[in-house]
């Protein structure tokens, strides 16, 4: 029998996992942090670096009879600022250990410099795919203005893919599920069939597989959507009862949701193929054909979508990239 989201939250609470929906200044709305009342007292994700988020987190902890100083372990699910902005402040105030995917630790430690490199990477990709320079300049200043909601993070407990995090009362298996971001990590309680999923799988929005620099700093652009679909397929096979996501309500039918996401990618891929078969176009032109003006205001997001789906077509051998040295165009083979 499938649980309702309310029943799922109740069941999680009975297992000692409590959701705190913390405000963010971003369009996505609140971010879900999860308190695990166990030993050590554990917080999964923290919310962005803002006084408002800190106040709310303190208030939610107080409702459960805890203070920030009581936190003993903070777990970071991925590199996005709405999830990790408060980690350093909380760790300083509590002395908590900070656990995250080891492969991401070096990048998390130098957040500010890293964000600058991310922006350079994004600008380069945008220019190579036909986005006008003035649009990239505007986007870069938006990205800079967001940066203060993030923070560097000192990881004291690096985790390997597959490593088990032992708490007093439970075992959480660390699973690397890249795609939405290169560092996406989910935590699996096999005994209770609960997956702490962060943004790997979200109930009401597709987890945008954003183009991003690879964790190992290699210069090759990763195929974010291809990687994401591989990750989704792995999660689909798991006997999960409840996914606790990074935004929105718990997911109790992960197979149905993943299947509908996969079908959606397939539809979009075919739509893109028809546009490319009509005539060769660059990714920016394709984004405008699909989304109109949103391709300008959300240029990087829509570009990530187009390139992600074009990667699928390239891998299938139906489309190829034609590079004239300045801009990449897609054409049907
Ligand atoms: Zn995210």
């Amino acid at each position: 029998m499938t649980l309702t989201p309310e029943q799922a939250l109740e069941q999680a609470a009975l297992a000692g996992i409590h959701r705190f929906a913390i405000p963010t200044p971003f369009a996505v709305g609140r971010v879900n942090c999860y308190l695990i009342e166990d030993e050590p007292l554990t917080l999964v994700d923290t919310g962005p670096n803002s006084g408002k988020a800190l106040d709310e987190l303190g208030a939610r902890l107080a409702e459960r009879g805890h203070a920030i100083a009581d936190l003993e372990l903070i777990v970071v699910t991925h590199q996005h600022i709405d999830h990790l902005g408060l980690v350093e402040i909380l760790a300083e105030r509590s002395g908590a250990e900070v656990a995250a995917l080891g492969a991401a630790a070096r990048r998390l430690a130098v957040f500010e410099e890293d964000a600058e490199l991310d922006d350079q990477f994004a600008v380069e990709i945008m220019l190579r795919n036909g986005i006008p320079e003035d649009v990239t300049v505007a986007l870069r200043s938006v990205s800079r203005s967001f940066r203060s909601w993030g923070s560097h993070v000192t990881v004291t407990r690096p985790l390997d893919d597959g490593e088990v995090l032992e708490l007093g009362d439970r075992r959480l298996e660390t699973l690397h599920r890249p795609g939405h971001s290169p560092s996406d990590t989910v935590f699996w309680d096999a005994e209770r069939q609960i997956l702490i999923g962060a943004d790997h799988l979200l109930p009401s929005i597709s987890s945008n597989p954003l183009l991003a620099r690879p964790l190992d700093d290699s210069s090759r652009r990763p195929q974010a959507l291809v990687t994401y679909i591989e990750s989704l397929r792995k999660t689909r096979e798991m006997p999960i009862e409840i996914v606790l996501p990074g935004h929105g309500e718990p997911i109790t039918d992960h197979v149905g949701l993943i299947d509908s996401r996969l079908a959606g990618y397939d539809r979009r891929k075919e739509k893109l193929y028809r546009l490319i078969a009509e005539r060769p176009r660059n990714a920016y032109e394709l984004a405008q054909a699909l989304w109109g003006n949103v391709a300008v205001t959300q240029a990087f997001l829509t570009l990530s979508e187009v390139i992600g789906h074009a990667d699928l077509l390239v891998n299938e051998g139906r489309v190829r990239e034609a590079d004239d040295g300045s801009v990449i165009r897609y054409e049907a083979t």
Side-chain angles (χ1 to χ4, degrees):
M1 199 193 69
T2 310
L3 299 171
T4 65
E6 294 71 32
Q7 289 170 326
L9 275 183
E10 234 166 77
Q11 192 160 313
L14 287 173
I17 308 174
H18 303 276
R19 178 182 69 173
F20 297 163
I22 300 298
T24 81
F26 308 115
V28 70
R30 289 179 180 251
V31 59
N32 292 333
C33 308
Y34 294 95
L35 179 73
I36 306 177
E37 288 180 329
D38 201 330
E39 287 188 12
L41 185 66
T42 300
L43 182 67
V44 180
D45 285 344
T46 65
N49 189 356
S50 78
K52 196 172 171 203
L54 185 59
D55 287 350
E56 282 226 21
L57 193 64
R60 297 287 88 76
L61 281 166
E63 282 169 10
R64 304 276 334 148
H66 309 290
I68 284 170
D70 301 337
L71 292 173
E72 294 168 306
L73 175 66
I74 300 168
V75 176
V76 177
T77 61
H78 67 298
Q79 65 205 75
H80 287 161
I81 57 180
D82 50 337
H83 293 257
L84 59 65
L86 282 175
V87 172
E88 203 68 7
I89 289 170
L90 296 178
E92 264 167 35
R93 292 194 185 176
S94 62
E97 292 253 36
V98 176
L101 189 71
R106 187 184 51 79
R107 296 269 299 270
L108 294 176
V110 292
F111 166 78
E112 288 78 7
E113 296 88 323
D114 202 58
E116 197 58 37
L117 292 175
D118 279 344
D119 282 0
Q120 281 172 24
F121 168 87
V123 166
E124 226 165 88
I125 287 205
M126 288 191 280
L127 293 174
R128 288 283 281 144
N129 287 279
I131 295 189
E133 195 163 354
D134 58 329
V135 174
T136 71
V137 171
L139 282 178
R140 197 159 176 171
S141 77
V142 170
S143 165
R144 282 222 179 87
S145 73
F146 281 163
R147 213 167 286 168
S148 62
W149 278 287
S151 163
H152 62 277
V153 173
T154 310
V155 176
T156 60
R157 175 91 163 77
L159 300 169
D160 284 328
D161 182 24
E163 185 174 342
V164 173
L165 201 52
E166 300 264 5
L167 277 66
D169 219 21
R170 76 200 72 212
R171 308 173 81 243
L172 295 175
E173 194 182 344
T174 305
L175 298 171
H176 187 203
R177 288 283 192 270
H180 162 70
S181 87
S183 56
D184 288 352
T185 312
V186 300
F187 296 89
W188 172 229
D189 182 336
E191 191 194 324
R192 295 175 181 81
Q193 296 181 302
I194 294 177
L195 183 77
I196 299 176
D199 290 0
H200 169 57
L201 186 63
L202 297 175
S204 48
I205 45 170
S206 157
S207 308
N208 312 300
L210 288 170
L211 295 172
R213 287 160 56 229
L215 289 179
D216 64 4
D217 279 344
S218 62
S219 55
R220 239 170 49 87
R221 171 181 71 74
Q223 295 191 325
L225 182 59
V226 172
T227 305
Y228 182 55
I229 288 173
E230 279 168 21
S231 289
L232 278 183
R233 291 222 161 95
K234 286 186 194 162
T235 299
R236 188 187 185 283
E237 298 315 309
M238 293 168 67
I240 302 168
E241 188 173 19
I242 299 170
V243 180
L244 297 173
H247 305 274
E249 298 305 312
I251 296 157
T252 51
D253 174 21
H254 73 294
V255 172
L257 183 60
I258 289 171
D259 284 348
S260 79
R261 293 276 184 269
L262 293 175
Y265 295 137
D266 222 48
R267 278 196 303 274
R268 181 164 288 167
K269 180 185 73 179
E270 294 308 327
K271 206 165 163 185
L272 197 65
Y273 180 73
R274 287 193 293 277
L275 288 169
I276 295 169
E278 245 171 52
R279 62 185 160 86
R281 284 181 241 226
N282 66 44
Y284 185 53
E285 291 165 337
L286 289 164
Q288 285 175 306
L290 286 169
W291 295 291
N293 193 48
V294 180
V296 183
T297 56
Q298 301 273 9
F300 191 64
L301 190 69
T302 51
L303 191 70
S304 292
E305 288 288 336
V306 168
I307 295 178
H309 289 80
D311 284 341
L312 297 171
L313 291 165
V314 168
N315 292 357
E316 287 171 12
R318 297 162 69 195
V319 159
R320 66 172 159 250
E321 297 179 3
D323 189 349
D324 66 7
S326 69
V327 173
I328 296 166
R329 271 189 184 72
Y330 292 102
E331 58 189 32
T333 54

